[in-house]
Amino acid sequence: QSALTQPASVSGSPGQSITISCTGTSSDVGGYNYVFWYQQHPGKAPKLMIYDVNNRPSGVSNRFSGSKSANTASLTISGLQAEDEADYYCSSYTSSNSHVFGGGTKLTVL
Amino acid sequence: QVQLVQSGSELKKPGASVRVSCKASGFTLTSYAMNWVRQAPGQGLEWMGWINTNTGNPTYAQGFTGRFVFSLDTSVSTAYLQISSLEAEDTAVYFCTRAAYGSHWFDYWGQGTLVTVSS
């Protein structure tokens, strides 16, 4: 199972919005509404930010939103804040009953 | 509160074995599948597989068969990852993380265990 494709880095200024893409195939992202997004700060464990494409767990800011079109999912962060600077990983359930992660995107808040 | 507490960092020589533990508290272990995720230094997350906490049946992702073993001791609410015949390429942080049966997302994670393989 190949890793999902994410941009290596994105950046934005405080208050702006950014979008991170995550491209897979019809066997993972495109085949199921089982796309997830995780935030990871340096030296910390990942934190679930979005599940099932566009759902936020309790406690996650509504500045975070997810969407999907065909084989590409997206994470949008609006009203960018300094604390959002982190690595972001998408993940998908797959047709082989496994999980696959994206390569990760480093978000820099300028 | 829900916690997954992992064992501490390990320094091992090539060819040795290591066992990482993941103790669950604040929830019923058998209501969740326990997954393992690897993160090599400076690299991304890699799903290793999972263990059914009701049956003890493990499922391993491609690339994690043979030297990797998932196990459980439900009496102490603890999951284990054992890696044998360690290689330098096994140097990584290993995370345990749970997913409710019927869902596919990982909602709670252990703090990670750094395994360093070096002669």
Side-chain angles (χ1 to χ4, degrees):
Chain A
Q1 189 75 43
S2 299
L4 306 177
T5 301
Q6 299 181 232
S9 63
V10 298
S11 63
S13 298
Q16 289 186 330
S17 294
I18 63 96
T19 296
I20 300 171
S21 62
C22 169
T23 301
T25 69
S26 58
S27 295
D28 39 64
V29 173
Y32 306 90
N33 287 325
Y34 296 140
V35 177
F36 319 104
W37 290 91
Y38 300 91
Q39 175 193 66
Q40 186 181 34
H41 287 107
K44 300 297 187 181
K47 174 186 176 182
L48 178 68
M49 304 302 285
I50 296 288
Y51 67 94
D52 292 353
V53 176
N54 56 11
N55 294 280
R56 281 186 311 277
S58 174
V60 172
S61 171
N62 60 8
R63 298 185 298 106
F64 292 82
S65 61
S67 62
K68 190 186 83 165
S69 176
N71 295 339
T72 298
S74 298
L75 173 71
T76 298
I77 309 174
S78 59
L80 211 55
Q81 300 180 0
E83 68 210 46
D84 299 332
E85 186 163 294
D87 294 326
Y88 290 84
Y89 294 91
C90 63
S91 176
S92 176
Y93 190 66
T94 81
S95 59
S96 51
N97 298 321
S98 65
H99 292 259
V100 61
F101 285 98
T105 298
K106 181 177 180 60
L107 169 62
T108 300
V109 179
L110 302 170
Chain B
Q1 73 281 24
V2 172
Q3 284 191 302
L4 294 171
V5 178
Q6 297 184 224
S7 49
S9 298
E10 300 269 9
L11 174 60
K12 296 291 186 180
K13 294 190 185 301
S17 296
V18 69
R19 190 176 79 162
V20 176
S21 66
C22 170
K23 183 170 178 59
S25 61
F27 67 98
T28 303
L29 183 63
T30 51
S31 295
Y32 293 83
M34 194 61 69
N35 291 255
W36 291 92
V37 173
R38 181 173 77 177
Q39 187 169 37
Q43 302 301 307
L45 304 173
E46 189 174 16
W47 183 71
M48 301 174 65
W50 68 288
I51 186 165
N52 186 313
T53 55
N54 290 293
T55 66
N57 184 50
T59 298
Y60 301 99
Q62 287 182 7
F64 294 100
T65 55
R67 298 188 298 114
F68 299 83
V69 176
F70 307 146
S71 63
L72 287 171
D73 185 343
T74 54
S75 68
V76 290
S77 297
T78 301
Y80 301 96
L81 163 66
Q82 180 155 337
I83 312 171
S84 59
S85 302
L86 283 163
E87 305 166 353
E89 292 70 30
D90 295 322
T91 295
V93 175
Y94 293 84
F95 294 99
C96 60
T97 180
R98 74 172 199 177
Y101 290 111
S103 75
H104 300 289
W105 61 85
F106 305 141
D107 61 350
Y108 280 89
W109 295 65
Q111 82 275 21
T113 296
L114 173 63
V115 175
T116 302
V117 184
S118 174
S119 55

